[in-house]
Amino acid sequence: DGVASLKAFFKATSAMRAHFHQVVTDAQGNKVQEVEGNMQLQRPGKFRWDYDKPYVQQIVGDGEKVWLFDPDLNQVTVRVMSKAIGSSPASLLAGAQDAERNFTLTTVSRSDGLEWAQAVPKAEESGFDKVLLGFKGDELQKMELHDSFGHTTSIQFSKLQRNPSIANDSFKFVAPAGADVVGE
Amino acid sequence: CASLPPSISPSTPEIHQEHLASLADIDQFQLKGRIGVQTDTKGFSGSTQWQHTADQDTVALFSPLGSQAASITRTAEKVSLITSDNKHYEAADAETLTEQNLGWRLPMRGLSDWVLGRPNQEAVEASQWDAAGRLVKLKQDGWEIEYGQYIGINQYQLPTRITLRNASRLTLKLIVQQWQLP
């Protein structure tokens, strides 16, 4: 079932690299945003989402802080990992503690041939209602974020590499010269 | 105020009045873009969608992951805010509402003119215009506004890069990626 696949994924995956394709739809099902990029993570606590198209954006978790760089705005927004990661989707995948501390996990059945697990954040103000993770066996295929405004962010992973060797500094964020660094 | 950027020769009042006249009939718009908020202690960056009419404003703020961070709605009577953790707030104006509940001040009233590249009806403390009569800098209502880029949409010249700063060290950066006019 879904939760068993999620646990098997955690057990078997200490690091991961993949291409992702993200589509956001609003409550009426209209497409609001479509973005592509590459992600990698190293448990515990380190992750990196590099959005390439249609606009560039980087979200880097270095284990202590989460750095968000928007080149168009030339702004780096920094948040302390504990607050940001407590119940964010990135924390579910790269989480240090086991997921059950921050999320209520249940199995969800769907007819798309994937094993789905649903994670509802225990923290009240996590900023979204639930995350769903779709597996083929113990390999992550899809992730869905449902926010409290009825938006759904669906992320499809492809070219997934499990436990690749990842250079340690790939989770080290260096603010580009001249960028405004804001936040904690 | 700051010296003129070398490439922009000053405009004459007639030219910038002509430009303002060309914008005068715009009383509603929709825009999609990116917004950056910077204060001493906190920051936000993400995308935004804004529907403006004379009697209603709806502003949506989205986090980079695409999930909605906040929704602000202004009607004649009040302004209401819904945040991503489903909390509802209300106030008489957007400025106090966002200051109290988001920790930064969204000058929605003035912005509905400033975003079009025109002063609002308050007194103008200072202004600078380019050779085409478009606003380059504006000081009004306690805000210093800079226009970095314009685009031609139908017969209008509209800003696509706007930076606003106020005395309490708040900076708002707005990049308009899509203008929609009736």
Side-chain angles (χ1 to χ4, degrees), chain A residues 122-163:
Chain A
K122 291 180 177 169
E124 230 259 345
E125 38 343 293
S126 60
F128 62 95
D129 288 355
K130 58 188 176 188
V131 182
L132 286 113
L133 294 144
F135 296 92
K136 209 171 248 159
D138 65 0
E139 193 165 281
L140 183 62
Q141 302 287 313
K142 285 187 178 175
M143 186 155 112
E144 264 179 32
L145 280 59
H146 296 257
D147 75 18
S148 45
F149 289 93
H151 281 239
T152 303
T153 299
S154 310
I155 300 171
Q156 168 90 39
F157 296 100
S158 57
K159 306 199 203 84
L160 195 139
Q161 294 173 310
R162 191 208 298 263
N163 299 331

Side-chain angles (χ1 to χ4, degrees), chain A residues 22 24 32-33 51 55 57 59 68 70 72-75 77 89 124-129 145 147-149 151 153 155 180 182-184, chain B residues 34-46 49 62 64-71 82-87 161 173 175 177:
Chain A
Q22 174 178 306
V24 180
V32 172
Q33 180 209 63
Y51 294 75
Y55 49 82
Q57 191 138 224
I59 306 176
L68 175 86
D70 186 314
D72 288 343
L73 297 165
N74 200 23
Q75 175 174 324
T77 308
E124 230 259 345
E125 38 343 293
S126 60
F128 62 95
D129 288 355
L145 280 59
D147 75 18
S148 45
F149 289 93
H151 281 239
T153 299
I155 300 171
D180 302 328
V182 189
E184 290 127 21
Chain B
R34 309 195 59 65
I35 182 165
V37 176
Q38 299 173 13
T39 72
D40 280 347
T41 54
K42 70 193 301 168
F44 169 82
S45 78
Q49 286 173 16
F62 301 95
L65 271 183
S67 57
Q68 188 154 349
S71 159
I82 305 172
T83 52
S84 60
D85 47 15
N86 245 327
K87 297 233 171 57
R161 292 184 82 90
K173 289 186 184 179
I175 294 171
Q177 291 166 314

Side-chain angles (χ1 to χ4, degrees), chain A residues 8 10-13 17 24 30 32 40 44 46 50 55 63 67 78 105 116-117 128 136 151 159-160 180 184:
Chain A
F10 279 142
K11 222 152 136 288
T13 314
R17 182 183 289 136
V24 180
N30 314 314
V32 172
Q40 50 189 332
K46 292 183 177 158
D50 289 299
Y55 49 82
W67 306 78
V78 194
L105 304 177
W116 284 90
F128 62 95
K136 209 171 248 159
H151 281 239
K159 306 199 203 84
L160 195 139
D180 302 328
E184 290 127 21

Side-chain angles (χ1 to χ4, degrees), chain A residues 48-66:
Chain A
R48 181 183 189 101
W49 296 69
D50 289 299
Y51 294 75
D52 308 330
K53 294 197 283 284
Y55 49 82
V56 171
Q57 191 138 224
Q58 288 165 5
I59 306 176
V60 177
D62 64 10
E64 276 160 49
K65 294 192 171 179
V66 180

